[in-house]
Amino acid sequence: MGSASLLEKTQALLRIRNQLARECLAELLAVFMLILITLSGSAQMVTTSETKGNFLSAYLAGALAVMVAIYTAGGVSGAHLNPAFSLAMCLVEQFPWWKFPIFVAVQTLAAFISSGAVYVLYHDAIWHYSNGTLTTSGPRETASIFATYPADYVSITNGFVDQVIGTAVLIVGLLAIMDTRNKAVPKGLEPVVVALLVFSIEISMGSNCGCPMNPARDFGPRLFTYVAGWGTEVFR
């Protein structure tokens, strides 16, 4: 009886009542889970020279990571996960503009922190595979574990168009799934459908630039690689 009372007091003490704080923490945890699983799938593929994973398994990990993230925070913050989606919600007046920079900051911070967790998880594999040199290009590059880089043949213009189209397909698909006037997705399965949407985009539009579609997912990890020793080349 005493332990139950102590547990209730502890729960009451730790309970966060501020709605914005709850949403930010939920978004932080959801993006952390998203990036942790996504980058781990990429790390497993790169550091094993595709003997324990390939582009398909990495794309599948990223899509399933979206599902996990939405289930994690969907009921609290709406699981935006992506500044582009937060912006779209502002434009259709379903999200207040004053929250937009807060969510973007939280999403980017979560991606940065999660990149650190992946680096710790795959530290030995990264250093073994790279022969002790952290590079963004060459046969033993490891920067692509964390951020996306365009193929050698892709121009800046084509890369820009690639990301505009890919992100637009993502946003239109999400809005269609959320639209109650459309054929409804069975309740509770929305995250699964969104994961399938992400997977369909990845396997059809991923060859040019790696299909990031998410500024926080790309910039947070890219910033981490700069801090962790890959150097300024990660921004070139």
Side-chain angles (χ1 to χ4, degrees), residues 30 65-75 78-81 174 190-192 194-195:
V66 172
M67 180 189 71
V68 173
I70 297 175
Y71 276 125
T72 299
H80 286 202
L81 312 177
L174 290 173
E190 296 89 347
V192 178
V194 174

Side-chain angles (χ1 to χ4, degrees), residues 103-117:
F103 265 48
V104 171
V106 170
Q107 290 158 356
T108 304
L109 175 63
F112 181 90
I113 295 172
S114 188
S115 300

